[in-house]
Amino acid sequence: MDNAEPVLLLGAGASITSGIPAAGKTVEKVARWAWCKENGRHPDDFTIRRSDYWPWLTAQPWYKPDLSPADLYPEAIDNLLGVKSDRREFFEKLINPPEVPPSRGYVALTQILHQGWISSVLTTNFDRCLERAAIQQNRPHRLVSISTPADYVMFNSAPHDPQLVFLHGSVKHYTDKNLTDEVQSLDPLLVERLRPLLRDHPIIAVGYRGAEASVMNDLFLAQAKTGGFLHGVYWCVLGNDLAGPHSPWVEQLAGAIGSNFQLVPIRGFDDLFEKDLLASMVAAGARPTRRPSGHSVGGMPADMRPLDGLDVSGFEQPLLQARLRQYADRTDLWRPGDVDAAWIEEMTDRLDLVRPVGGRVAPTLAGWLLFSRNPSAEFPQARVEFRATGPGHWLRGRFGQDVELEPAARTSAFTVRQTITGNLWSQLDDLIDLLALVNFQFRLKAEVSRTVNAYNAIAIKEMLVNAIVHRDYDRDEAVQVVVEPKSITVTSPGGLIEEIAAQVGEQSFQNAIAERTSPIKGYRNPAISDLFYGGGQMDRRGSGLSDMVLATVNNNGSVSFGPSADNTRFTVTIEARPEAVDEITNTALPIAEETVRYSSNLIPIETMPAKVWHSATSAGSNRSFYRAAEGLTVPPGHVSDGRFYSLYDLEELAEAMVTPFDPGEIEALGFDELIALPGGESIALKLLHDLLFEHLKTKGLQIEYDRRRAYFARGDEPELKVSYQGRLRKATRTVVKARTKRESDDIVYYEHKAVSFSVMRFGGDWAVVLTPGYAFTRDGVRNPISRERTNALSTRRAARDFNPSVLQDVSFWLAILSGEAEGLFALEHRPENDLARFAPSVLLSHRTPTISFNVSAFDELAQRDTEIDEDLQKLEAELEALALEPDEEDLGRNGDDPEGGEPDNVD
């Protein structure tokens, strides 16, 4: 179609597989319904047969036996459903078949509309199949429905959001046109608005016979007389109907516009849109499109509203890029191998993260809440107020002994408070971390005892996602999370939206969720919902509360939820599992299998280097290469099989500086191509470790290159403390501690908090593995106690740190490495590093992945505190003895040269 955006016309044949009968079958249903009403029978009476009402129908004076039932449609409606209230009652039931979902063709069409490949759909039908599919799929985020004259103001020949035009009006609003005189012409005001659309676009007609005088005369033949349809009319018919006969109006149209009319054989509406169009366009890498000059109309969802006073420069670009890549991969959208600004601009527009305002592009509320650093600054209501109330010993057990407690209203009760801000991704992560602390464990007594959790972690996540995604951000209220020893309650601003309330009817919302065989769907914030789904925070859209109920029930807990009486808030309460836990022994009798949330010690690498440069060299090792290149500019790299590999752009480097590289010998290959080479992954790991070494230097850490371990050196004082932002509050950690003789204050050695690190590949994903540990030096800086002799001791020392302590260590090192970033962070370079501008951009997540497991697979034996203390005392004694021994063979050895420079060869 020469890149011209088509207009789609749908007829009754499009909705047959969605449970909506075509014209012929509708006439039969009308006859049955009218016969039942005349004879005092209920239309749903299964004993009624065709032989009851068909003779009655054929005896009607207006009945014409020479016409097909489909051709009798206007007369049947006119004579049998002439009273508008009767007509509405009949059609409301006809076009809303119970438990029949929209067909796969309509589902595919919602994706096509979402991509902007079609923006205008005209329909002769009254059914709501496309609207229902759009709600269920949350695509497009907004579908503008035009069904009454009052809606014409929303019509646009260049719409910003997809529009659905009901040519024959609305049954619900009594504006439907079904009668004989009504279907002779369309509303002239509507026709006048549609003419530019038909003139400037190709027309695709699907499921439409072309047997209505109104549509064929007013839209097609009138346009044909003025020389229209230069972009063509593509009339889709089933393959076996290609030869005809066709409606006389269709034949007349074909004769009037000649070669601009094409009959297109199809296998059916569903196959056309699902397989022939959507699947082929996705496979071909079709890019999403949207009219840059399109116009918006009122009534849009709040999260799609543009924020005129804010600018898209406020988006965190690394986070935006990473989330859009993730969204495209999860939803099978095309994206370039190297994400560029043009693709980012297309996606932010397509996903309603930005909207045009007065000649410029402004962020929408969804875009700002998701991708600005701290949207609470402009929208104070976009926050979560967390409150935990209970006995002091319980709160300290959950949040630490030094947590600040404030007296509560109840006697002997205290409260811990936390205000959670940041973008919505960050808020969800913070809440999951906080509630993981209150998801207390206890031992279930059995033949083999095991540790279980009070709540199902998946249920907690679904409860939080529901509050953050579906809350009303126009209400000046925060989400409230209230935790007590045996329950978690989340209250979010905003009750049920209209689409949900209509599906619930008179039932309570919780009963409706429990009894429905298909999800109840509707979206107050469609853009936010879509991004959370594309980012993996939501699973099957519309199933969150159902999943929460199932997970909680399977956990032997209970859950209640629903809107407030005035429908201004929505509250969810999950009760902990009911076993009576002995607070002294922390045990209970077992009832069901449990899961527990584990945190990994991985930092996901969200953006990897795109390319690797390499050049010929005669050197056989890194050491010989760097010695031969002394005095020349050489970036970090690795020599292998006569080639020098580097993540730094050797081509630009050779142009800008004096290097040992011959520009004609420099080649580039993709990072994935390097991995596929024999030994390529080993080279890649060495290059990535070089970037990590540089990043660690920017943090002021001492580095043991051969062990890939880093630690803080002491300052002027014997001890060094570092402050960082913990999960609940600002925390301080002692990272260098002076150890003295038992009988005096003489310092014998220094104990350093250390972290070992390495890059690992997990299928197609990469991550930095952090292993907290210890280093021991004589001077608190670079003079180690014999490492060969302390290796086993440091391992034993680290083994005394159990889960909570290790998690805190990982969090501490992640805070140091990320600079306490709230989003993604990039590997940095020292200011004096002149080669930084040639280095790649590598982005890492500021959070470690977590996962839930059945704890029976991770059962641990309890160990007595006294045993741990005794072992630590033995370790300290052995370390003190080692520190007092002369250890000259290790002086100056720390994986690098004695002066502290990095090695020129680490193989």
PDB file of all heavy atoms in Angstrom, residues 670-692:
ATOM      1  N   GLY A 670      31.042  -7.964  16.635  1.00  0.00           N
ATOM      2  CA  GLY A 670      30.050  -7.871  17.682  1.00  0.00           C
ATOM      3  C   GLY A 670      30.464  -8.654  18.916  1.00  0.00           C
ATOM      4  O   GLY A 670      31.200  -9.650  18.830  1.00  0.00           O
ATOM      5  N   PHE A 671      29.978  -8.192  20.076  1.00  0.00           N
ATOM      6  CA  PHE A 671      30.334  -8.886  21.311  1.00  0.00           C
ATOM      7  C   PHE A 671      29.876 -10.348  21.269  1.00  0.00           C
ATOM      8  O   PHE A 671      30.607 -11.241  21.693  1.00  0.00           O
ATOM      9  CB  PHE A 671      29.696  -8.161  22.507  1.00  0.00           C
ATOM     10  CG  PHE A 671      30.243  -8.601  23.840  1.00  0.00           C
ATOM     11  CD1 PHE A 671      31.412  -8.075  24.340  1.00  0.00           C
ATOM     12  CD2 PHE A 671      29.590  -9.569  24.592  1.00  0.00           C
ATOM     13  CE1 PHE A 671      31.920  -8.482  25.563  1.00  0.00           C
ATOM     14  CE2 PHE A 671      30.086  -9.987  25.806  1.00  0.00           C
ATOM     15  CZ  PHE A 671      31.255  -9.437  26.297  1.00  0.00           C
ATOM     16  N   ASP A 672      28.684 -10.578  20.736  1.00  0.00           N
ATOM     17  CA  ASP A 672      28.189 -11.952  20.629  1.00  0.00           C
ATOM     18  C   ASP A 672      29.039 -12.775  19.672  1.00  0.00           C
ATOM     19  O   ASP A 672      29.195 -13.989  19.858  1.00  0.00           O
ATOM     20  CB  ASP A 672      26.729 -11.962  20.176  1.00  0.00           C
ATOM     21  CG  ASP A 672      25.789 -11.408  21.242  1.00  0.00           C
ATOM     22  OD1 ASP A 672      26.185 -11.435  22.424  1.00  0.00           O
ATOM     23  OD2 ASP A 672      24.691 -10.951  20.891  1.00  0.00           O
ATOM     24  N   GLU A 673      29.586 -12.117  18.640  1.00  0.00           N
ATOM     25  CA  GLU A 673      30.466 -12.833  17.719  1.00  0.00           C
ATOM     26  C   GLU A 673      31.733 -13.283  18.433  1.00  0.00           C
ATOM     27  O   GLU A 673      32.248 -14.389  18.177  1.00  0.00           O
ATOM     28  CB  GLU A 673      30.816 -11.944  16.533  1.00  0.00           C
ATOM     29  CG  GLU A 673      29.652 -11.587  15.627  1.00  0.00           C
ATOM     30  CD  GLU A 673      30.082 -10.677  14.496  1.00  0.00           C
ATOM     31  OE1 GLU A 673      30.500 -11.212  13.453  1.00  0.00           O
ATOM     32  OE2 GLU A 673      30.015  -9.443  14.663  1.00  0.00           O
ATOM     33  N   LEU A 674      32.266 -12.441  19.298  1.00  0.00           N
ATOM     34  CA  LEU A 674      33.453 -12.819  20.063  1.00  0.00           C
ATOM     35  C   LEU A 674      33.159 -14.031  20.943  1.00  0.00           C
ATOM     36  O   LEU A 674      33.965 -14.970  21.012  1.00  0.00           O
ATOM     37  CB  LEU A 674      33.920 -11.650  20.929  1.00  0.00           C
ATOM     38  CG  LEU A 674      35.069 -11.956  21.907  1.00  0.00           C
ATOM     39  CD1 LEU A 674      36.344 -12.315  21.154  1.00  0.00           C
ATOM     40  CD2 LEU A 674      35.321 -10.764  22.834  1.00  0.00           C
ATOM     41  N   ILE A 675      31.992 -14.030  21.599  1.00  0.00           N
ATOM     42  CA  ILE A 675      31.635 -15.139  22.478  1.00  0.00           C
ATOM     43  C   ILE A 675      31.588 -16.451  21.708  1.00  0.00           C
ATOM     44  O   ILE A 675      31.939 -17.514  22.232  1.00  0.00           O
ATOM     45  CB  ILE A 675      30.269 -14.873  23.153  1.00  0.00           C
ATOM     46  CG1 ILE A 675      30.320 -13.585  23.971  1.00  0.00           C
ATOM     47  CG2 ILE A 675      29.856 -16.033  24.037  1.00  0.00           C
ATOM     48  CD1 ILE A 675      31.359 -13.578  25.042  1.00  0.00           C
ATOM     49  N   ALA A 676      31.160 -16.383  20.449  1.00  0.00           N
ATOM     50  CA  ALA A 676      31.008 -17.599  19.654  1.00  0.00           C
ATOM     51  C   ALA A 676      32.352 -18.172  19.189  1.00  0.00           C
ATOM     52  O   ALA A 676      32.419 -19.336  18.778  1.00  0.00           O
ATOM     53  CB  ALA A 676      30.117 -17.319  18.442  1.00  0.00           C
ATOM     54  N   LEU A 677      33.434 -17.370  19.248  1.00  0.00           N
ATOM     55  CA  LEU A 677      34.743 -17.861  18.809  1.00  0.00           C
ATOM     56  C   LEU A 677      35.326 -18.831  19.829  1.00  0.00           C
ATOM     57  O   LEU A 677      35.029 -18.742  21.025  1.00  0.00           O
ATOM     58  CB  LEU A 677      35.704 -16.685  18.620  1.00  0.00           C
ATOM     59  CG  LEU A 677      35.356 -15.652  17.546  1.00  0.00           C
ATOM     60  CD1 LEU A 677      36.363 -14.504  17.584  1.00  0.00           C
ATOM     61  CD2 LEU A 677      35.356 -16.311  16.171  1.00  0.00           C
ATOM     62  N   PRO A 678      36.180 -19.766  19.408  1.00  0.00           N
ATOM     63  CA  PRO A 678      36.885 -20.633  20.370  1.00  0.00           C
ATOM     64  C   PRO A 678      37.717 -19.782  21.327  1.00  0.00           C
ATOM     65  O   PRO A 678      38.528 -18.964  20.895  1.00  0.00           O
ATOM     66  CB  PRO A 678      37.765 -21.510  19.466  1.00  0.00           C
ATOM     67  CG  PRO A 678      37.095 -21.488  18.121  1.00  0.00           C
ATOM     68  CD  PRO A 678      36.484 -20.136  18.005  1.00  0.00           C
ATOM     69  N   GLY A 679      37.498 -19.948  22.601  1.00  0.00           N
ATOM     70  CA  GLY A 679      38.199 -19.150  23.596  1.00  0.00           C
ATOM     71  C   GLY A 679      37.690 -17.736  23.713  1.00  0.00           C
ATOM     72  O   GLY A 679      38.223 -16.927  24.493  1.00  0.00           O
ATOM     73  N   GLY A 680      36.630 -17.384  22.958  1.00  0.00           N
ATOM     74  CA  GLY A 680      36.134 -16.016  22.952  1.00  0.00           C
ATOM     75  C   GLY A 680      35.553 -15.573  24.275  1.00  0.00           C
ATOM     76  O   GLY A 680      35.715 -14.423  24.688  1.00  0.00           O
ATOM     77  N   GLU A 681      34.857 -16.485  24.970  1.00  0.00           N
ATOM     78  CA  GLU A 681      34.253 -16.097  26.248  1.00  0.00           C
ATOM     79  C   GLU A 681      35.323 -15.769  27.276  1.00  0.00           C
ATOM     80  O   GLU A 681      35.169 -14.838  28.075  1.00  0.00           O
ATOM     81  CB  GLU A 681      33.346 -17.210  26.761  1.00  0.00           C
ATOM     82  CG  GLU A 681      32.621 -16.830  28.045  1.00  0.00           C
ATOM     83  CD  GLU A 681      31.498 -17.785  28.396  1.00  0.00           C
ATOM     84  OE1 GLU A 681      31.091 -18.584  27.529  1.00  0.00           O
ATOM     85  OE2 GLU A 681      31.016 -17.725  29.539  1.00  0.00           O
ATOM     86  N   SER A 682      36.434 -16.502  27.246  1.00  0.00           N
ATOM     87  CA  SER A 682      37.532 -16.211  28.176  1.00  0.00           C
ATOM     88  C   SER A 682      38.106 -14.820  27.913  1.00  0.00           C
ATOM     89  O   SER A 682      38.383 -14.065  28.853  1.00  0.00           O
ATOM     90  CB  SER A 682      38.622 -17.273  28.032  1.00  0.00           C
ATOM     91  OG  SER A 682      39.727 -16.967  28.852  1.00  0.00           O
ATOM     92  N   ILE A 683      38.256 -14.463  26.628  1.00  0.00           N
ATOM     93  CA  ILE A 683      38.750 -13.118  26.283  1.00  0.00           C
ATOM     94  C   ILE A 683      37.758 -12.062  26.768  1.00  0.00           C
ATOM     95  O   ILE A 683      38.136 -11.049  27.357  1.00  0.00           O
ATOM     96  CB  ILE A 683      38.961 -13.010  24.764  1.00  0.00           C
ATOM     97  CG1 ILE A 683      40.054 -13.978  24.306  1.00  0.00           C
ATOM     98  CG2 ILE A 683      39.306 -11.580  24.365  1.00  0.00           C
ATOM     99  CD1 ILE A 683      40.203 -14.067  22.795  1.00  0.00           C
ATOM    100  N   ALA A 684      36.473 -12.317  26.518  1.00  0.00           N
ATOM    101  CA  ALA A 684      35.444 -11.355  26.923  1.00  0.00           C
ATOM    102  C   ALA A 684      35.469 -11.122  28.429  1.00  0.00           C
ATOM    103  O   ALA A 684      35.332  -9.975  28.898  1.00  0.00           O
ATOM    104  CB  ALA A 684      34.067 -11.844  26.484  1.00  0.00           C
ATOM    105  N   LEU A 685      35.628 -12.190  29.203  1.00  0.00           N
ATOM    106  CA  LEU A 685      35.662 -12.048  30.660  1.00  0.00           C
ATOM    107  C   LEU A 685      36.843 -11.198  31.100  1.00  0.00           C
ATOM    108  O   LEU A 685      36.725 -10.345  31.986  1.00  0.00           O
ATOM    109  CB  LEU A 685      35.718 -13.424  31.310  1.00  0.00           C
ATOM    110  CG  LEU A 685      34.435 -14.267  31.206  1.00  0.00           C
ATOM    111  CD1 LEU A 685      34.674 -15.667  31.747  1.00  0.00           C
ATOM    112  CD2 LEU A 685      33.296 -13.606  31.962  1.00  0.00           C
ATOM    113  N   LYS A 686      38.005 -11.403  30.486  1.00  0.00           N
ATOM    114  CA  LYS A 686      39.172 -10.611  30.860  1.00  0.00           C
ATOM    115  C   LYS A 686      38.946  -9.129  30.554  1.00  0.00           C
ATOM    116  O   LYS A 686      39.319  -8.252  31.343  1.00  0.00           O
ATOM    117  CB  LYS A 686      40.406 -11.138  30.119  1.00  0.00           C
ATOM    118  CG  LYS A 686      40.826 -12.545  30.534  1.00  0.00           C
ATOM    119  CD  LYS A 686      42.021 -13.023  29.741  1.00  0.00           C
ATOM    120  CE  LYS A 686      42.347 -14.478  30.049  1.00  0.00           C
ATOM    121  NZ  LYS A 686      42.730 -14.695  31.444  1.00  0.00           N
ATOM    122  N   LEU A 687      38.321  -8.847  29.420  1.00  0.00           N
ATOM    123  CA  LEU A 687      38.071  -7.457  29.051  1.00  0.00           C
ATOM    124  C   LEU A 687      37.058  -6.805  29.982  1.00  0.00           C
ATOM    125  O   LEU A 687      37.213  -5.643  30.372  1.00  0.00           O
ATOM    126  CB  LEU A 687      37.573  -7.388  27.604  1.00  0.00           C
ATOM    127  CG  LEU A 687      38.520  -7.933  26.531  1.00  0.00           C
ATOM    128  CD1 LEU A 687      37.893  -7.787  25.146  1.00  0.00           C
ATOM    129  CD2 LEU A 687      39.874  -7.226  26.574  1.00  0.00           C
ATOM    130  N   LEU A 688      36.023  -7.549  30.346  1.00  0.00           N
ATOM    131  CA  LEU A 688      35.032  -7.006  31.278  1.00  0.00           C
ATOM    132  C   LEU A 688      35.634  -6.789  32.658  1.00  0.00           C
ATOM    133  O   LEU A 688      35.301  -5.810  33.345  1.00  0.00           O
ATOM    134  CB  LEU A 688      33.835  -7.946  31.359  1.00  0.00           C
ATOM    135  CG  LEU A 688      32.962  -8.011  30.091  1.00  0.00           C
ATOM    136  CD1 LEU A 688      31.952  -9.149  30.193  1.00  0.00           C
ATOM    137  CD2 LEU A 688      32.225  -6.686  29.880  1.00  0.00           C
ATOM    138  N   HIS A 689      36.515  -7.682  33.082  1.00  0.00           N
ATOM    139  CA  HIS A 689      37.166  -7.508  34.386  1.00  0.00           C
ATOM    140  C   HIS A 689      38.030  -6.254  34.388  1.00  0.00           C
ATOM    141  O   HIS A 689      38.139  -5.555  35.410  1.00  0.00           O
ATOM    142  CB  HIS A 689      37.996  -8.743  34.727  1.00  0.00           C
ATOM    143  CG  HIS A 689      37.160  -9.929  35.084  1.00  0.00           C
ATOM    144  ND1 HIS A 689      37.551 -11.233  34.836  1.00  0.00           N
ATOM    145  CD2 HIS A 689      35.932 -10.015  35.653  1.00  0.00           C
ATOM    146  CE1 HIS A 689      36.600 -12.053  35.255  1.00  0.00           C
ATOM    147  NE2 HIS A 689      35.617 -11.344  35.753  1.00  0.00           N
ATOM    148  N   ASP A 690      38.652  -5.932  33.241  1.00  0.00           N
ATOM    149  CA  ASP A 690      39.432  -4.696  33.167  1.00  0.00           C
ATOM    150  C   ASP A 690      38.548  -3.478  33.430  1.00  0.00           C
ATOM    151  O   ASP A 690      38.962  -2.535  34.122  1.00  0.00           O
ATOM    152  CB  ASP A 690      40.081  -4.569  31.784  1.00  0.00           C
ATOM    153  CG  ASP A 690      41.297  -5.477  31.623  1.00  0.00           C
ATOM    154  OD1 ASP A 690      41.875  -5.860  32.647  1.00  0.00           O
ATOM    155  OD2 ASP A 690      41.649  -5.799  30.475  1.00  0.00           O
ATOM    156  N   LEU A 691      37.331  -3.474  32.864  1.00  0.00           N
ATOM    157  CA  LEU A 691      36.413  -2.362  33.114  1.00  0.00           C
ATOM    158  C   LEU A 691      36.031  -2.288  34.590  1.00  0.00           C
ATOM    159  O   LEU A 691      35.891  -1.199  35.159  1.00  0.00           O
ATOM    160  CB  LEU A 691      35.161  -2.515  32.257  1.00  0.00           C
ATOM    161  CG  LEU A 691      35.330  -2.370  30.736  1.00  0.00           C
ATOM    162  CD1 LEU A 691      33.988  -2.600  30.040  1.00  0.00           C
ATOM    163  CD2 LEU A 691      35.875  -0.997  30.369  1.00  0.00           C
ATOM    164  N   LEU A 692      35.861  -3.455  35.218  1.00  0.00           N
ATOM    165  CA  LEU A 692      35.520  -3.470  36.642  1.00  0.00           C
ATOM    166  C   LEU A 692      36.679  -2.953  37.490  1.00  0.00           C
ATOM    167  O   LEU A 692      36.467  -2.232  38.464  1.00  0.00           O
ATOM    168  CB  LEU A 692      35.140  -4.885  37.066  1.00  0.00           C
ATOM    169  CG  LEU A 692      33.715  -5.319  36.744  1.00  0.00           C
ATOM    170  CD1 LEU A 692      33.542  -6.803  37.025  1.00  0.00           C
ATOM    171  CD2 LEU A 692      32.711  -4.518  37.548  1.00  0.00           C
TER     172      LEU A 692
END
